[in-house]
Amino acid sequence: MSGPGGRIWRRLEAAAADPGFVSRAAREFPALSSLPEEPLDRRQALKLMAAAIVWGGVTGCDSNFGQDLIPAVRVPPNIVPALPNFYATAHVLDGFANGVVVKHSMGRPLQVEGNVRHPSSLGATDAFAQALPLDFYDPDREAEIDRRGRPADWPTLEGALARERDRLASGHGAGLRILTGSVTSPTLLARLDALLDQYPEARWVRWDPISRGAVAAGAAMAYGRPLDTVARLENTDVLLAIDGDLLCTAPGRLRYARDLAGRRNPSRSAAMSRIYALESTPTLLGSVADHRFIAAPAEIERIVAALAAGIAGPEAAGSRPPGSGGSGSRAGAAGLPAWVGPVLADLRSARDRALVHAGAMQPPPIHALAHAMNEALGGRGTTFDLIEPVARLSRESADTLPALVADMHAGKVDTLLMIDSNPVLTAPGVMGFRAGLERVRFSLALAERRDETAQASGWFVPLAHQWECWSDARGHDGTATILQPQSLPLYGGVSAPEMLQRLSSAAHIPGDEIVRATWLHPPNAAAMGSGWLAALAEGVVQGSARPAVHDRLRETPRAPAADLGGAPVAADTLSVLFRADPALWDGRFANNPWLQELPRPLTKLVWDNPLLIAPRLAERMRLENGDCVRLAVGTASVIAPVWILPGQSPSCITALLGSGRGAAGAVGDAAGVDYYPLTGIAGPVSVQKVAGRVELASTVRHHGLLAPPDEVLRHGTLRDFHADPRFAADRSAAPELYRTVPPGPAKWAMSIDLNACIGCNACVLACQAENNVPVVGKREVLREREMHWIRVDRYFEGDADAPTSFFQPVLCMHCEQAPCENVCPVGATVHDSEGLNVMVYNRCVGTRFCSNNCPYKVRRFNFFAYAHEQKRPPESWNPDVTVRARGVMEKCSYCIQRIAAARIDADRESRPVGEVVTACQAACPTRAITFGNLADGASEVAARKQSPLTFAMLPAQNTHPRTTYEALVRNPNPALEGGS
């Protein structure tokens, strides 16, 4: 299948170039069937959208529960009514910390913003951090200790732990296993070490379902021991990503996104970088690459071996290196893609300004070859550094999850403590973890919810949320952050270090004392000095980053079975790729409605995780979106719907993990399909169409703009920019007839740099948290009634099997000549003196004329009482923004509440209004969004508006929008232009 070259499209039907394609397009995105306009069913709405109601009941097991959310009789210090407070901490995901600042209102934690002082975030956040408030206020978090399905209390548990301590002491810890995920916390590691020293026969097992074990194993192959790589993309001229995860799952992804974007706008960068991506399934990094090469998973190893042979020498691949010429090079003659030669030449030309990155899902030999190439290119100290592993490994290399499960089945595990881990759900089905757990005499799960593992364990103890306890964690470069509690515990619970302390001794040591002991005593006391309060305030322990190490390659790694002249893998050989869900990760966020309803970057799907298949495979199997198939791996199989994803390799199927859970909570239960039973199985992969269809909710066809593509999104190449820097500018002056320029002292405006946008959706969640935007549930999304005030449109260009991708954030343009205002019969949408298109909710009577007349389709009508049905407690809403009622129109307000706060401060201090940062701007990891006062010639937004790449969306509408864009410029290799 192919679409017309040079044409931009959002849906496959828009790429049709022949009559046969029309019928194909009809199957790609069929029109939604009409649904009855019935009111929401209360029970279903509560199941889908309940979030954040504080459970008020008697726990019977925790004496501190009575303190939860009771208003303070005496106001705590430093709290001024109506003024926020900010406290530094970190968001920890898979052990790694991203520095954040939590905003409080009257002592209540409400919102998350990045910490500019933290090297892993630089002031940015991701969607997971933005969704933390709903996790914190989640009504499905547990408050009670549970013993075999029955309520228990702390005295009973303490008695059981005392008996365990006596037994473990007599046997030196024999039979004790502790299971955790990745751990970077110095305090938790210190408690683990102390416990293992106390019980020398005990074992600690580290395991993550979204594993980075191949990264460590690849470094060990290359250097003789595990090491972490810290990329320095700000110095990288040429980047080759092999199934790259730098922007989506890698530790430090926010920092990497910022550094990458800093080299991508030719109007501000002295030299624009170039990105190559080699992958089987689309990634965010591949979507913004200058060249994206699609290969079957089995062929990636052959291609990487050829690249390594051409850079690190023939010994890296055990074969003769391919030529370095153009498309007619020896690479093509060896059965390899023709692009290999030009890419090799580009990497070798860049030398120490080039970097090769392998994604975490690639096997260890690929990582070893990437290290060999980077060393041969000479990028050490320029494009990358090597540091000691930030996440500590288990003491014994044999302490792995398969070994643990084998010991459980053999009866060698007598006591098992599982800390914030859910292996009953996430462990490969072939291991039989649940069956092994039944043979363990004493098992205890420490988790925030009674998840699948907690329900199967002998004991369940609530884990304190990271906003409720003292802790610490390290960022991607080793920088440490001390996590301070943001609130008293809402539901009780203990931290992981406290739980280990209880297993070690009868003495109860508070969490703050445990953390203080880590940092105020050797070996960290010297680094901390007298800076405890400064570390809390700044969210960073100064000088705690890992220094670079100077290990050298043991020898040039060799790729296994690197027969460069061998035949390509058969086209009909299928493989399945298991990947983290962009919104749910490994399933831990399945009960968060904000994340469930967040459109996935490439598919725009919500509330589901169908199998992602290539257009060519769908055509061969006669599959349409939503058709059900049976996916079999070896002898295991699941039935799931499919979704056709342009740019997917036809030789593989992608399964996103984390959905289909049975113990996630009221929101996440039974949403989607569970693919974990298929993981870890070695066997043939087959797909067979079966009866049945699933209605899949995707926003990809919503809010379509009726305009030529070049009036919506503009792009070109670096060659175009050099020939004419204003190639994307509007050539004809817009008519000034009837234009009214607001007279106010400020002119609020926004500029969005399409060169920087990576489609990560952090802005969407930040807007939702800031502006009290409700979720609506899958059924309402199917009716095109989602409520997000900002959306990130995804476009494709070219062939549907290998298209070029584009992202474009779209929000209210705040037009100076707004067409929505002329048609409102009650004056609910009006302009203020500073150019803001504002909504007067009390006037709105729901005619929706404004929405019909908006050419940008950025208005959302509140069809039902979504906010009321969510039943969120008052404590969890942003008090600075009105919670809208049913029947009114909503849209982006440029965060007018933040503008008002800045205006009040300016009036109080008798000065002009200063900088205002919108929620979307603050969250954006790449600084793609710039907002400010256009009347201030020194403002950043004024400078951005002067970029030669600036253009307005839909200029023919003569709306004079205050939001403009900078056109996307790509930097293709001249030797590869015209095709990849």
Side-chain angles (χ1 to χ4, degrees), residues 581 584 600 605-612 640-641 654-660 671-675 696:
D581 189 286
L584 307 185
R600 308 311 189 254
L605 286 161
V606 299
W607 293 101
D608 258 310
N609 63 331
L611 294 169
L612 305 180
T654 301
L656 299 179
L657 302 171
S659 294
V673 180
D674 180 14
Y675 299 115
L696 300 173

Side-chain angles (χ1 to χ4, degrees), residues 357-380:
H357 162 72
M361 303 308 292
Q362 287 298 306
I366 300 297
H367 289 273
L369 290 177
H371 285 298
M373 287 187 276
N374 287 327
E375 295 289 0
L377 290 167
R380 177 83 73 95

Side-chain angles (χ1 to χ4, degrees), residues 279-623:
E279 56 193 22
S280 302
T281 189
T283 65
L284 292 187
L285 187 54
S287 297
V288 300
D290 300 297
H291 293 281
R292 179 174 179 267
F293 308 117
I294 303 172
E299 286 204 317
I300 288 180
E301 187 175 279
R302 298 176 64 253
I303 295 172
V304 174
L307 293 167
I311 294 174
E315 63 274 14
S319 181
R320 183 176 56 186
S324 59
S327 60
S329 70
R330 202 160 40 201
L336 292 166
W339 55 261
V340 171
V343 171
L344 274 175
D346 205 11
L347 289 169
R348 287 196 293 240
S349 176
R351 294 297 300 169
D352 61 350
R353 308 285 292 186
L355 177 68
V356 179
H357 162 72
M361 303 308 292
Q362 287 298 306
I366 300 297
H367 289 273
L369 290 177
H371 285 298
M373 287 187 276
N374 287 327
E375 295 289 0
L377 290 167
R380 177 83 73 95
T382 303
T383 60
F384 74 97
D385 288 312
L386 295 177
I387 62 174
E388 297 284 349
V390 176
R392 259 263 304 275
L393 303 177
S394 303
R395 287 187 173 183
E396 301 290 338
S397 59
D399 292 336
T400 62
L401 185 67
L404 170 64
V405 176
D407 286 348
M408 290 162 60
H409 282 279
K412 298 180 181 179
V413 180
D414 193 66
T415 304
L416 177 61
L417 173 60
M418 295 164 286
I419 298 176
D420 197 18
S421 184
N422 190 5
V424 169
L425 169 72
T426 61
V430 293
M431 288 187 183
F433 188 94
R434 181 188 287 271
L437 185 60
E438 295 175 355
R439 299 177 60 85
V440 177
R441 182 187 58 83
F442 183 94
S443 58
L444 187 151
L446 182 67
E448 291 184 7
R449 299 167 180 83
R450 288 194 72 244
D451 56 26
E452 291 81 355
T453 298
Q455 293 180 4
S457 300
W459 288 88
F460 162 70
V461 177
L463 173 67
H465 190 272
Q466 54 188 277
W467 282 4
E468 297 172 330
C469 62
W470 288 90
S471 185
D472 49 22
R474 294 187 183 272
H476 77 292
D477 66 346
T479 299
T481 296
I482 297 173
L483 281 68
Q484 53 184 324
Q486 307 293 314
S487 169
L488 288 171
L490 298 186
Y491 304 94
V494 297
S495 66
E498 289 174 312
M499 192 69 242
L500 289 177
Q501 173 62 33
R502 292 171 187 260
L503 187 60
S504 172
S505 169
H508 294 176
I509 303 178
D512 61 334
E513 293 186 18
I514 297 176
V515 176
R516 283 175 181 268
T518 302
W519 291 102
L520 300 182
H521 297 86
N524 297 315
M528 175 65 72
S530 60
W532 171 261
L533 293 180
L536 293 180
E538 295 182 7
V540 172
V541 178
Q542 295 296 336
S544 58
R546 292 270 202 262
V549 299
H550 305 287
D551 297 48
R552 297 299 175 186
L553 287 175
R554 289 191 306 177
E555 60 182 16
T556 302
R558 295 175 60 90
D563 181 8
L564 301 187
V569 178
D572 58 350
T573 301
L574 276 179
S575 59
V576 59
L577 305 178
F578 298 101
R579 296 290 188 265
D581 189 286
L584 307 185
W585 198 252
D586 58 3
R588 70 188 63 196
F589 301 111
N591 208 50
N592 191 306
W594 282 355
L595 291 171
Q596 283 280 10
E597 198 160 292
L598 182 65
R600 308 311 189 254
L602 295 171
T603 64
K604 299 303 171 184
L605 286 161
V606 299
W607 293 101
D608 258 310
N609 63 331
L611 294 169
L612 305 180
I613 63 173
R616 191 181 306 171
L617 179 61
E619 189 171 33
R620 187 168 73 239
M621 297 187 63
R622 297 184 179 180
L623 291 171

Side-chain angles (χ1 to χ4, degrees), residues 743-873:
K747 294 177 59 177
W748 301 110
M750 180 176 286
S751 175
I752 301 177
D753 184 3
L754 298 184
N755 297 282
C757 181
I758 59 174
C760 68
N761 281 324
C763 57
V764 179
L765 256 294
C767 175
Q768 188 160 21
E770 170 76 20
N771 294 294
N772 295 328
V773 177
V775 296
V776 301
K778 178 180 176 179
R779 185 174 64 179
E780 293 299 294
V781 176
L782 283 170
R783 297 177 177 181
E784 304 186 22
R785 293 175 177 176
E786 67 274 11
M787 296 296 295
H788 292 127
W789 287 8
I790 179 173
R791 68 179 191 266
V792 182
D793 286 343
R794 176 224 63 190
Y795 293 93
F796 291 121
E797 181 181 58
D799 183 72
D801 291 313
T804 302
S805 300
F806 308 91
F807 295 112
Q808 184 178 36
V810 182
L811 62 164
C812 178
M813 298 291 147
H814 289 269
C815 312
E816 291 182 0
Q817 199 69 26
C820 56
E821 298 178 4
N822 301 328
V823 295
C824 181
V826 293
T829 177
V830 294
H831 253 78
D832 71 1
S833 63
E834 297 179 341
L836 295 178
N837 182 271
V838 297
M839 284 293 304
V840 184
Y841 296 119
N842 288 341
R843 293 181 186 173
C844 182
V845 294
T847 62
R848 290 183 282 168
F849 295 162
C850 59
S851 179
N852 294 336
N853 220 40
C854 174
Y856 306 99
K857 303 306 174 190
V858 292
R859 290 174 170 265
R860 306 288 177 262
F861 184 68
N862 212 329
F863 280 89
F864 294 108
Y866 300 123
H868 174 74
E869 293 295 340
Q870 281 185 259
K871 298 296 183 183
R872 288 176 57 182

